[in-house]
Amino acid sequence: MRRSFVVLALLVLPAAPGCDSHLDAEVGGALLPQALDVMPPGDGPTIVVLPGKPAPALPAGPVKLAVDHAVPWRELGPLLAAADQAGAQPTLLVGQRDRIRGFRLSDELRDEYTLRFQPTSDGKFCLSPPATREAYCVQTGTRRHVSAAFVRAAVQKAVAAYGITQGRVVPDADTRWGDIVRSIDGARTCCKEPFRVAVSR
């Protein structure tokens, strides 16, 4: 069965380079993605992860990961797997405007009855209900970044239609960390009732 897609392309104009840069959160040259649903940044040393650079060694115990927004999942996924093997307890850092905050990658899901989210590297976010290969997709006009606002609106509609309040993010290998964060954060902040999100690893 072929998967069906409904794609809406919406225009979002990026800010000019350097505009409002004082509102960005940066650690050691890593520009952190922005999020609304955040937590304290945690304890331990801070390790910076930049795109295309060798994966850093992670110590056992608490550690803070400052992952640049442009790091692709093909680099971050193996690093998180290595963290599990090393006994590291990473807190992923994000920005809340210019403040450094922690970010929860995955919630504990109640069961496998979830909405499926797939952010891609070309600014597209696709949402599928359970037991179907059809997908509703939203893409920004610039095709550069996933929009958390578009994700939030799409998930609101899906919750109303299906009554499902949890989702699983399945990133492509090329999906950037910033787009994964915006997908997770947009879903978590969609509704009055809590919405749980986990990332497939």
mmCIF file of all heavy atoms in Angstrom, residues 53-77:
data_model
loop_
_atom_site.group_PDB
_atom_site.id
_atom_site.type_symbol
_atom_site.label_atom_id
_atom_site.label_comp_id
_atom_site.label_asym_id
_atom_site.label_seq_id
_atom_site.Cartn_x
_atom_site.Cartn_y
_atom_site.Cartn_z
ATOM 1 N N LYS A 53 31.705 17.180 13.590
ATOM 2 C CA LYS A 53 32.881 17.015 14.447
ATOM 3 C C LYS A 53 32.881 15.616 15.068
ATOM 4 O O LYS A 53 31.830 14.996 15.217
ATOM 5 C CB LYS A 53 32.893 18.070 15.554
ATOM 6 C CG LYS A 53 32.911 19.503 15.051
ATOM 7 C CD LYS A 53 34.197 19.807 14.297
ATOM 8 C CE LYS A 53 34.240 21.266 13.855
ATOM 9 N NZ LYS A 53 35.465 21.580 13.093
ATOM 10 N N PRO A 54 34.058 15.091 15.427
ATOM 11 C CA PRO A 54 34.113 13.772 16.065
ATOM 12 C C PRO A 54 33.253 13.728 17.324
ATOM 13 O O PRO A 54 33.181 14.701 18.078
ATOM 14 C CB PRO A 54 35.602 13.603 16.390
ATOM 15 C CG PRO A 54 36.311 14.508 15.427
ATOM 16 C CD PRO A 54 35.401 15.675 15.227
ATOM 17 N N ALA A 55 32.606 12.593 17.540
ATOM 18 C CA ALA A 55 31.752 12.443 18.714
ATOM 19 C C ALA A 55 32.597 12.500 19.977
ATOM 20 O O ALA A 55 33.612 11.804 20.080
ATOM 21 C CB ALA A 55 30.994 11.122 18.641
ATOM 22 N N PRO A 56 32.219 13.326 20.944
ATOM 23 C CA PRO A 56 33.007 13.411 22.179
ATOM 24 C C PRO A 56 32.801 12.173 23.048
ATOM 25 O O PRO A 56 31.758 11.523 22.989
ATOM 26 C CB PRO A 56 32.436 14.665 22.858
ATOM 27 C CG PRO A 56 31.030 14.749 22.360
ATOM 28 C CD PRO A 56 31.063 14.227 20.952
ATOM 29 N N ALA A 57 33.813 11.851 23.843
ATOM 30 C CA ALA A 57 33.685 10.781 24.826
ATOM 31 C C ALA A 57 32.871 11.312 26.005
ATOM 32 O O ALA A 57 33.056 12.449 26.446
ATOM 33 C CB ALA A 57 35.066 10.317 25.289
ATOM 34 N N LEU A 58 31.966 10.497 26.503
ATOM 35 C CA LEU A 58 31.093 10.917 27.589
ATOM 36 C C LEU A 58 31.464 10.179 28.869
ATOM 37 O O LEU A 58 31.598 8.951 28.867
ATOM 38 C CB LEU A 58 29.630 10.639 27.237
ATOM 39 C CG LEU A 58 29.095 11.337 25.989
ATOM 40 C CD1 LEU A 58 27.637 10.969 25.763
ATOM 41 C CD2 LEU A 58 29.250 12.844 26.100
ATOM 42 N N PRO A 59 31.629 10.904 29.961
ATOM 43 C CA PRO A 59 31.937 10.248 31.232
ATOM 44 C C PRO A 59 30.682 9.624 31.828
ATOM 45 O O PRO A 59 29.561 9.979 31.475
ATOM 46 C CB PRO A 59 32.431 11.411 32.098
ATOM 47 C CG PRO A 59 31.681 12.598 31.569
ATOM 48 C CD PRO A 59 31.546 12.367 30.087
ATOM 49 N N ALA A 60 30.874 8.696 32.749
ATOM 50 C CA ALA A 60 29.744 8.145 33.483
ATOM 51 C C ALA A 60 29.186 9.215 34.424
ATOM 52 O O ALA A 60 29.899 10.119 34.853
ATOM 53 C CB ALA A 60 30.180 6.914 34.273
ATOM 54 N N GLY A 61 27.912 9.118 34.699
ATOM 55 C CA GLY A 61 27.281 10.060 35.613
ATOM 56 C C GLY A 61 26.648 11.229 34.888
ATOM 57 O O GLY A 61 26.566 11.259 33.652
ATOM 58 N N PRO A 62 26.182 12.229 35.627
ATOM 59 C CA PRO A 62 25.497 13.371 35.031
ATOM 60 C C PRO A 62 26.400 14.153 34.085
ATOM 61 O O PRO A 62 27.582 14.369 34.369
ATOM 62 C CB PRO A 62 25.102 14.232 36.242
ATOM 63 C CG PRO A 62 25.120 13.291 37.401
ATOM 64 C CD PRO A 62 26.203 12.305 37.107
ATOM 65 N N VAL A 63 25.844 14.577 32.965
ATOM 66 C CA VAL A 63 26.571 15.385 31.994
ATOM 67 C C VAL A 63 25.560 16.232 31.234
ATOM 68 O O VAL A 63 24.416 15.811 31.030
ATOM 69 C CB VAL A 63 27.393 14.493 31.029
ATOM 70 C CG1 VAL A 63 26.476 13.583 30.223
ATOM 71 C CG2 VAL A 63 28.263 15.322 30.114
ATOM 72 N N LYS A 64 25.958 17.421 30.855
ATOM 73 C CA LYS A 64 25.101 18.313 30.070
ATOM 74 C C LYS A 64 25.592 18.329 28.633
ATOM 75 O O LYS A 64 26.778 18.551 28.392
ATOM 76 C CB LYS A 64 25.105 19.719 30.670
ATOM 77 C CG LYS A 64 24.440 19.802 32.043
ATOM 78 C CD LYS A 64 24.494 21.193 32.634
ATOM 79 C CE LYS A 64 25.861 21.488 33.227
ATOM 80 N NZ LYS A 64 25.874 22.721 34.033
ATOM 81 N N LEU A 65 24.693 18.083 27.694
ATOM 82 C CA LEU A 65 25.045 18.076 26.276
ATOM 83 C C LEU A 65 24.511 19.334 25.603
ATOM 84 O O LEU A 65 23.301 19.536 25.515
ATOM 85 C CB LEU A 65 24.457 16.838 25.580
ATOM 86 C CG LEU A 65 25.058 15.480 25.945
ATOM 87 C CD1 LEU A 65 24.394 14.388 25.119
ATOM 88 C CD2 LEU A 65 26.560 15.477 25.746
ATOM 89 N N ALA A 66 25.424 20.179 25.153
ATOM 90 C CA ALA A 66 25.064 21.373 24.390
ATOM 91 C C ALA A 66 25.178 21.018 22.913
ATOM 92 O O ALA A 66 26.252 21.123 22.319
ATOM 93 C CB ALA A 66 25.973 22.542 24.756
ATOM 94 N N VAL A 67 24.083 20.570 22.330
ATOM 95 C CA VAL A 67 24.075 20.087 20.952
ATOM 96 C C VAL A 67 23.650 21.218 20.025
ATOM 97 O O VAL A 67 22.565 21.798 20.197
ATOM 98 C CB VAL A 67 23.122 18.885 20.797
ATOM 99 C CG1 VAL A 67 23.154 18.353 19.367
ATOM 100 C CG2 VAL A 67 23.486 17.780 21.784
ATOM 101 N N ASP A 68 24.479 21.536 19.055
ATOM 102 C CA ASP A 68 24.138 22.577 18.082
ATOM 103 C C ASP A 68 22.877 22.180 17.321
ATOM 104 O O ASP A 68 22.671 21.003 16.990
ATOM 105 C CB ASP A 68 25.290 22.778 17.103
ATOM 106 C CG ASP A 68 25.049 23.951 16.168
ATOM 107 O OD1 ASP A 68 25.389 25.093 16.545
ATOM 108 O OD2 ASP A 68 24.502 23.718 15.063
ATOM 109 N N HIS A 69 22.046 23.163 17.018
ATOM 110 C CA HIS A 69 20.759 22.908 16.368
ATOM 111 C C HIS A 69 20.903 22.214 15.024
ATOM 112 O O HIS A 69 19.964 21.532 14.564
ATOM 113 C CB HIS A 69 19.999 24.227 16.168
ATOM 114 C CG HIS A 69 20.587 25.087 15.089
ATOM 115 N ND1 HIS A 69 19.986 25.243 13.866
ATOM 116 C CD2 HIS A 69 21.740 25.818 15.034
ATOM 117 C CE1 HIS A 69 20.734 26.029 13.103
ATOM 118 N NE2 HIS A 69 21.799 26.399 13.803
ATOM 119 N N ALA A 70 22.070 22.315 14.378
ATOM 120 C CA ALA A 70 22.258 21.757 13.041
ATOM 121 C C ALA A 70 22.818 20.336 13.050
ATOM 122 O O ALA A 70 23.012 19.742 11.982
ATOM 123 C CB ALA A 70 23.186 22.663 12.223
ATOM 124 N N VAL A 71 23.082 19.762 14.207
ATOM 125 C CA VAL A 71 23.601 18.391 14.265
ATOM 126 C C VAL A 71 22.520 17.432 13.764
ATOM 127 O O VAL A 71 21.403 17.435 14.276
ATOM 128 C CB VAL A 71 24.021 18.025 15.704
ATOM 129 C CG1 VAL A 71 24.352 16.538 15.813
ATOM 130 C CG2 VAL A 71 25.219 18.861 16.137
ATOM 131 N N PRO A 72 22.830 16.592 12.773
ATOM 132 C CA PRO A 72 21.820 15.665 12.255
ATOM 133 C C PRO A 72 21.645 14.462 13.169
ATOM 134 O O PRO A 72 22.538 14.098 13.936
ATOM 135 C CB PRO A 72 22.388 15.251 10.894
ATOM 136 C CG PRO A 72 23.869 15.385 11.060
ATOM 137 C CD PRO A 72 24.081 16.535 12.001
ATOM 138 N N TRP A 73 20.489 13.832 13.048
ATOM 139 C CA TRP A 73 20.175 12.677 13.898
ATOM 140 C C TRP A 73 21.167 11.540 13.674
ATOM 141 O O TRP A 73 21.444 10.773 14.595
ATOM 142 C CB TRP A 73 18.753 12.230 13.628
ATOM 143 C CG TRP A 73 18.310 11.097 14.505
ATOM 144 C CD1 TRP A 73 17.976 9.835 14.119
ATOM 145 C CD2 TRP A 73 18.149 11.130 15.932
ATOM 146 N NE1 TRP A 73 17.618 9.074 15.208
ATOM 147 C CE2 TRP A 73 17.717 9.845 16.340
ATOM 148 C CE3 TRP A 73 18.329 12.125 16.904
ATOM 149 C CZ2 TRP A 73 17.464 9.536 17.670
ATOM 150 C CZ3 TRP A 73 18.077 11.799 18.234
ATOM 151 C CH2 TRP A 73 17.651 10.525 18.601
ATOM 152 N N ARG A 74 21.732 11.412 12.487
ATOM 153 C CA ARG A 74 22.696 10.338 12.223
ATOM 154 C C ARG A 74 23.935 10.475 13.105
ATOM 155 O O ARG A 74 24.630 9.484 13.351
ATOM 156 C CB ARG A 74 23.109 10.327 10.754
ATOM 157 C CG ARG A 74 23.967 11.496 10.316
ATOM 158 C CD ARG A 74 24.755 11.167 9.048
ATOM 159 N NE ARG A 74 23.907 10.739 7.960
ATOM 160 C CZ ARG A 74 23.365 11.549 7.054
ATOM 161 N NH1 ARG A 74 23.593 12.849 7.140
ATOM 162 N NH2 ARG A 74 22.617 11.100 6.094
ATOM 163 N N GLU A 75 24.216 11.690 13.600
ATOM 164 C CA GLU A 75 25.334 11.902 14.513
ATOM 165 C C GLU A 75 24.891 11.863 15.971
ATOM 166 O O GLU A 75 25.592 11.333 16.831
ATOM 167 C CB GLU A 75 26.021 13.238 14.211
ATOM 168 C CG GLU A 75 26.653 13.303 12.821
ATOM 169 C CD GLU A 75 27.241 14.671 12.504
ATOM 170 O OE1 GLU A 75 27.376 15.509 13.427
ATOM 171 O OE2 GLU A 75 27.568 14.913 11.324
ATOM 172 N N LEU A 76 23.726 12.414 16.253
ATOM 173 C CA LEU A 76 23.272 12.497 17.637
ATOM 174 C C LEU A 76 22.763 11.157 18.148
ATOM 175 O O LEU A 76 23.018 10.790 19.305
ATOM 176 C CB LEU A 76 22.181 13.558 17.770
ATOM 177 C CG LEU A 76 21.622 13.775 19.179
ATOM 178 C CD1 LEU A 76 22.741 14.121 20.157
ATOM 179 C CD2 LEU A 76 20.554 14.859 19.170
ATOM 180 N N GLY A 77 22.050 10.399 17.301
ATOM 181 C CA GLY A 77 21.511 9.120 17.745
ATOM 182 C C GLY A 77 22.584 8.177 18.279
ATOM 183 O O GLY A 77 22.456 7.652 19.399
#
